Amino acid sequence: QARLVESGGGLVQAGDSLRLTCITSGRPFSNNVMGWFRRAPGKEREFVAATNWNGGKVSYGDSVKGRFIISRDHVKSILYLKMNSLKPEDTALYFCVEGFSPEGPYSLNPDDYPYWGQGTQVTVSS
């Protein structure tokens, strides 16, 4: 089975909310930084959000700050991304990622995250 598995994507209208989930499998739970990247059609991968090992510290990309909330259940090994006030520009394939260390730093470089899920598609219509 995959190390990281995303779910919760779908087709929604502008202004709607959606929650993505990521399950860490293959071990009881992750003690590393985890987060989300996204890749819009024809664009490079973009940092969305990240959190430390227990969800106590968070970081957000400028484009989603104030609208998205990242959280995690460390014991159950589940990462969440609550997306509010969705815009058409949020349309992208969203990836769950895992970093190298428990506390970061939270890199904007996708190459600094060794583990990636397959992605879940979020499409926001006008």
Side-chain angles (χ1 to χ4, degrees), residues 37-123:
F37 276 77
R38 67 186 183 184
R39 186 181 182 91
K43 297 184 178 180
E44 299 295 321
R45 288 172 292 180
E46 177 188 19
F47 175 79
V48 175
T51 185
N52 71 332
W53 72 279
N54 67 354
K57 299 178 181 178
V58 298
S59 181
Y60 296 98
D62 290 340
S63 63
V64 306
K65 197 171 300 181
R67 297 188 297 120
F68 291 9
I69 301 173
I70 187 171
S71 61
R72 71 190 295 175
D73 186 326
H74 178 248
V75 174
K76 294 183 178 180
S77 190
I78 303 175
L79 179 73
Y80 302 97
L81 183 68
K82 184 64 168 66
M83 303 180 293
N84 300 309
S85 301
L86 283 164
K87 306 174 181 179
E89 63 195 73
D90 294 318
T91 295
L93 186 64
Y94 284 72
F95 299 94
C96 175
V97 300
E98 183 178 4
F100 288 106
S101 63
E103 297 294 342
Y106 305 132
S107 177
L108 302 182
N109 186 354
D111 291 337
D112 289 335
Y113 299 86
Y115 304 109
W116 289 64
Q118 292 297 117
T120 184
Q121 179 66 39
V122 173
T123 302

